[in-house]
Amino acid sequence: TEKILQVIVDETGTINVGRDTVGSDNLAKYIQERLFKSFMGTGQMQSRIKFSKANNDVPDMVVEVVLKEIQEGQKRALRQLCLQKYENLFENIDTRKQDKLKKQFPVLFQTDYQ
């Protein structure tokens, strides 16, 4: 079964991830920690991140900020994972290892959050 990290934002900019409420300034750190803790606990991560608006009144600017924070969280989790597994940054590991990570943890490379 797919494990999905559900991110929902409302018109006031309140962000809910699962049962947690997260401020936009902490979202990247929260995403990084959720993904990495999952990896440390089970060797797996959520399959993907799903983003949605609570309703149609959410301003585009809020959506942009939230999506940037999600992407930053993914980058941070990838950096942390690579340092943990290979003691190196993603850019500096060989392409075979990069491809393996992309296959094993697609959530870290996801760009479409629908």
Side-chain angles (χ1 to χ4, degrees):
T1 52
E2 243 193 356
K3 282 175 62 183
I4 296 172
L5 198 57
Q6 178 78 46
V7 180
I8 301 170
V9 66
D10 70 16
E11 67 279 359
T12 64
T14 302
I15 303 164
N16 289 298
V17 185
R19 284 180 282 224
D20 298 331
T21 302
V22 185
S24 61
D25 52 340
N26 289 323
L27 184 60
K29 186 176 184 352
Y30 179 86
I31 298 265
Q32 170 196 352
E33 287 174 353
R34 274 291 289 272
L35 292 173
F36 194 71
K37 273 184 187 161
S38 185
F39 164 73
M40 290 302 287
T42 64
Q44 300 294 308
M45 285 185 188
Q46 287 80 354
S47 314
R48 59 193 190 94
I49 298 169
K50 187 172 187 326
F51 170 76
S52 57
K53 300 189 269 187
N55 56 48
N56 290 329
D57 298 330
V58 180
D60 289 345
M61 195 177 83
V62 171
V63 170
E64 276 178 44
V65 167
V66 171
L67 290 175
K68 274 197 179 100
E69 286 293 308
I70 290 172
Q71 291 164 346
E72 179 60 27
Q74 290 171 289
K75 271 190 218 148
R76 289 180 184 185
L78 176 62
R79 187 178 315 121
Q80 195 175 10
L81 177 70
C82 288
L83 290 172
Q84 173 83 22
K85 282 182 79 129
Y86 304 115
E87 296 179 6
N88 218 328
L89 298 173
F90 182 76
E91 307 76 65
N92 299 335
I93 60 177
D94 67 61
T95 49
R96 249 187 44 241
K97 289 177 182 167
Q98 287 181 353
D99 291 342
K100 188 178 174 189
L101 285 175
K102 286 178 185 176
K103 199 175 193 169
Q104 196 175 1
F105 304 109
V107 68
L108 296 176
F109 303 94
Q110 178 184 345
T111 55
D112 176 17
Y113 305 100
Q114 298 308 310

